[in-house]
Amino acid sequence: MSADNTAQLTAQLLARVESPRQGLPAPVFQLVSQLTPLINVDLLIRDRQGRTLLTWRADEFYGPGWHIPGGIIRFKENIATRITKVAASELACTVDFDPAPLSMREVMAPHRDVRGHFISLLYRCHLRTPPAPELAAGTPPQNGQWRWHNDCPDDLIRVHDMYRPWITPTLPDAP
């Protein structure tokens, strides 16, 4: 493919993206995720009893399981804004958070190119308002529902195994 063809295709693609600050159309996002690592924030929320707030996820990339709420930082969006938006969109609540991440991990899915490379930042968050009661998980949990966990659940999504030490109540300040 010539440089001119590449430039034309790039211009056509950019013309179809309304605002990268608001997010990308799925096919464009998948393309970007095959070309560069994505940076995401994950929100570690614990209560006074040492329980951890997790949400249920069931999607084509990670399958069903519990995970720490999180989201991918948008173009020219700061970390604080993404943390606030994750709390609002996944839990319908507001949070305060520590300014420095507890952990920074590189995650690679060797078997997958789409959404296959992440830099994950784990932030300790504190509820300012409670999560929406209507999103509390039933049995079985549904996609997007939340639940407090006394221990790290066996059905934690595999990619969040790296966070098990922080979910375990006996290790509040994990490595």
Side-chain angles (χ1 to χ4, degrees):
M1 180 179 301
S2 72
D4 285 344
N5 286 346
T6 302
Q8 287 176 340
L9 288 171
T10 302
Q12 289 173 2
L13 184 60
L14 287 172
R16 288 179 166 67
V17 175
E18 290 183 32
S19 173
R21 294 177 187 202
Q22 301 302 315
L24 300 173
V28 176
F29 174 74
Q30 289 179 358
L31 173 65
V32 169
S33 81
Q34 291 179 67
L35 301 174
T36 186
L38 301 172
I39 302 171
N40 70 284
V41 296
D42 292 316
L43 285 57
L44 179 66
I45 302 170
R46 299 188 61 195
D47 67 7
R48 294 176 196 264
Q49 292 79 37
R51 300 177 301 172
T52 305
L53 188 62
L54 302 176
T55 54
W56 186 260
R57 176 183 198 148
D59 66 30
E60 65 181 293
F61 297 104
Y62 299 103
W66 292 104
H67 81 294
I68 291 179
I72 297 165
I73 299 171
R74 307 301 195 265
F75 180 68
K76 293 194 176 183
E77 176 180 64
N78 64 45
I79 289 169
T81 299
R82 179 54 27 201
I83 290 171
T84 298
K85 288 184 176 183
V86 166
S89 67
E90 293 198 24
L91 301 164
C93 72
T94 58
V95 296
D96 293 317
F97 57 93
D98 294 352
L102 290 169
S103 172
M104 180 180 71
R105 301 284 176 100
E106 184 174 36
V107 178
M108 286 193 217
H111 60 283
R112 185 177 70 236
D113 289 335
V114 174
R115 296 184 68 164
H117 188 183
F118 288 89
I119 307 300
S120 295
L121 306 171
L122 179 66
Y123 282 86
R124 183 186 316 272
C125 297
H126 313 277
L127 291 175
R128 217 180 320 156
T129 60
E134 63 272 14
L135 297 176
T139 304
Q142 301 298 309
N143 200 32
Q145 293 182 326
W146 61 265
R147 180 180 294 156
W148 288 106
H149 290 264
N150 291 314
D151 296 302
C152 191
D154 292 334
D155 52 356
L156 186 72
I157 62 170
R158 185 173 302 158
V159 72
H160 278 193
D161 279 342
M162 64 187 178
Y163 293 143
R164 282 187 183 276
W166 281 277
I167 298 171
T168 304
T170 57
L171 300 172
D173 295 315

